[in-house]
Amino acid sequence: EDQVTQSPEALRLQEGESSSLNCSYTVSGLRGLFWYRQDPGKGPEFLFTLYSAGEEKEKERLKATLTKKESFLHITAPKPEDSATYLCAVREDGATNKLIFGTGTLLAVQP
Amino acid sequence: ETGVTQTPRHLVMGMTNKKSLKCEQHLGHNAMYWYKQSAKKPLELMFVYSLEERVENNSVPSRFSPECPNSSHLFLHLHTLQPEDSALYLCASSQAGFGTNEKLFFGSGTQLSVL
């Protein structure tokens, strides 16, 4: 069964302490992998799309990378405003065009 | 107003009530979606409308009834809900339609509690 698994479930960092979030996926053919950020009481906000292994994208303190089986979201020198839930989703090749979401990583960055 | 707007933000209803959730997108997009988000579970796709036609109905119980009168508006009509239907209901839109590989733009959601 196709699935998306995110780890860790929750992560607490000190301000400036860099770390990485993981998203592993099992689909027969990857059409795209998406990262979203979700703040409490709000809907997910798009961050990145990655399409093929080896691809990387950056935005401020965030950098997303992709291999054939997983993606990492690297957070460099995080600030308290980076605290949020980070969601990963994949879309697979084929007739089904649905996004398959993971359960997210809740990140808390303490000052 | 820009983006995807959902009303109401919070809703408490009894199991015998009938209520509706409203979504409006101001982005000129052609596809609109309803998702359900429950604690500790992945987002679940419920319905998709592309160019005002329903193209996906993800085995959702009939107590949830969608309506898409035009490409900017989407409703979710609720009746005879169960307590396990309590969740955050998110509306989303995408530009070109359901068959594409595009990102979704989400509203802030309606937090629904069924008593």
Side-chain angles (χ1 to χ4, degrees), chain B residues 91-106:
Chain B
C91 175
S93 69
S94 63
Q95 184 171 18
F98 183 57
T100 64
N101 194 24
E102 293 188 318
K103 62 190 179 191
L104 300 181
F105 292 77
F106 286 88

Side-chain angles (χ1 to χ4, degrees), chain B residues 36-88:
Chain B
K36 176 183 179 181
Q37 187 174 35
S38 304
K40 306 259 183 184
K41 288 187 175 181
L43 268 73
E44 291 175 56
L45 179 63
M46 300 176 72
F47 301 104
V48 183
Y49 279 81
S50 185
L51 297 171
E52 299 163 39
E53 283 190 33
R54 191 190 306 182
V55 296
E56 184 84 10
N57 176 359
N58 207 30
S59 301
V60 178
S62 59
R63 57 186 183 268
F64 295 90
S65 174
E67 179 189 0
C68 186
N70 55 60
S71 59
S72 298
H73 293 87
L74 185 65
F75 295 89
L76 188 63
H77 304 298
L78 316 171
H79 65 95
T80 337
L81 293 191
Q82 304 299 310
E84 60 264 29
D85 297 322
S86 299
L88 181 67

Side-chain angles (χ1 to χ4, degrees), chain A residues 9 31-32 34 36 38 41-46 49 51 87 91 95-99 101-103, chain B residues 9 35 37 40-43 45 56 58 88 90 97-104 106-109:
Chain A
E9 197 173 303
R31 200 170 167 200
F34 300 76
Y36 287 85
Q38 186 173 20
K42 293 193 174 182
E45 179 184 346
F46 172 78
T49 309
Y51 297 100
L87 299 172
R91 186 176 277 131
T96 300
N97 197 52
K98 288 185 276 193
L99 273 177
F101 280 86
T103 52
Chain B
R9 290 298 310 276
Y35 278 87
Q37 187 174 35
K40 306 259 183 184
K41 288 187 175 181
L43 268 73
L45 179 63
E56 184 84 10
N58 207 30
L88 181 67
L90 290 162
F98 183 57
T100 64
N101 194 24
E102 293 188 318
K103 62 190 179 191
L104 300 181
F106 286 88
S108 292

